[in-house]
Amino acid sequence: MAQDCIFCKIVSGEVPSDTVYEDEELFVFKDINPQASVHLLVIPKKHISSLADVTEEDYGLLGRMMGMAHLFAAKAGSTNGFRSIVNTGKVGRQDVFHLHVHVLGGEAPLPPMIYRNS
Ligand code: 5GP
Ligand code: ZN
């Protein structure tokens, strides 16, 4: 657990979240500021700052995060596809430095790209 990491605090329960799924490695919860009717965040319980900080030992974990995303999307009501986004570092406009995969979807097709105002 990294001190002052909001997502580590969500994993530990110190900060509440709308939890969708949890196992020994992964934690999935609803984004607090949804950009689509389904907007989940899939994170590792282990603190990894970003996709630029993964090491070979994390490859299996990353595989599970991406490989299980369709199950979380479908369970949340996005049964005809979804979009997964990983913002990385300054260039990728990452705000929270605990690795996360955004899973965005819903019943209707998403816009060509998702833009945030801030
Ligand atoms: P990033 O820009 O780092 O890719 O995305 C961070 C995401 O985390 C944003 O979509 C933001 O709404 C979400 N987020 C930030 N703080 C919290 C929080 O305390 N709870 C939840 N559920 N989501 C958060
Ligand atoms: Zn963390």
Side-chain angles (χ1 to χ4, degrees):
M1 170 158 178
Q3 276 189 339
D4 295 329
C5 171
I6 186 76
F7 286 180
C8 281
K9 287 179 179 170
I10 284 175
V11 169
S12 73
E14 189 180 336
V15 169
S17 71
D18 210 335
T19 310
V20 168
Y21 175 83
E22 171 175 17
D23 64 28
E24 62 287 344
E25 284 186 314
L26 303 184
F27 199 87
V28 185
F29 56 104
K30 292 185 182 174
D31 196 292
I32 204 167
N33 183 23
Q35 303 297 309
S37 61
V38 171
H39 188 171
L40 306 176
L41 298 171
V42 181
I43 72 171
K45 284 188 168 176
K46 164 188 170 184
H47 181 86
I48 301 171
S49 295
S50 82
L51 199 54
D53 297 284
V54 299
T55 62
E56 204 168 343
E57 73 173 32
D58 302 319
Y59 289 178
L61 178 61
L62 287 173
R64 290 191 72 231
M65 290 170 70
M66 295 305 282
M68 293 179 76
H70 72 105
L71 303 175
F72 308 135
K75 199 172 168 208
S78 196
T79 50
N80 283 310
F82 60 94
R83 182 173 296 155
S84 38
I85 298 173
V86 184
N87 295 322
T88 303
K90 185 178 170 188
V91 169
R93 301 278 294 264
Q94 183 179 0
D95 291 325
V96 176
F97 279 78
H98 181 129
L99 176 64
H100 51 281
V101 177
H102 294 259
V103 172
L104 295 138
E107 287 177 16
L110 296 167
M113 290 291 278
I114 297 273
Y115 294 98
R116 277 191 307 214
N117 295 323
S118 57

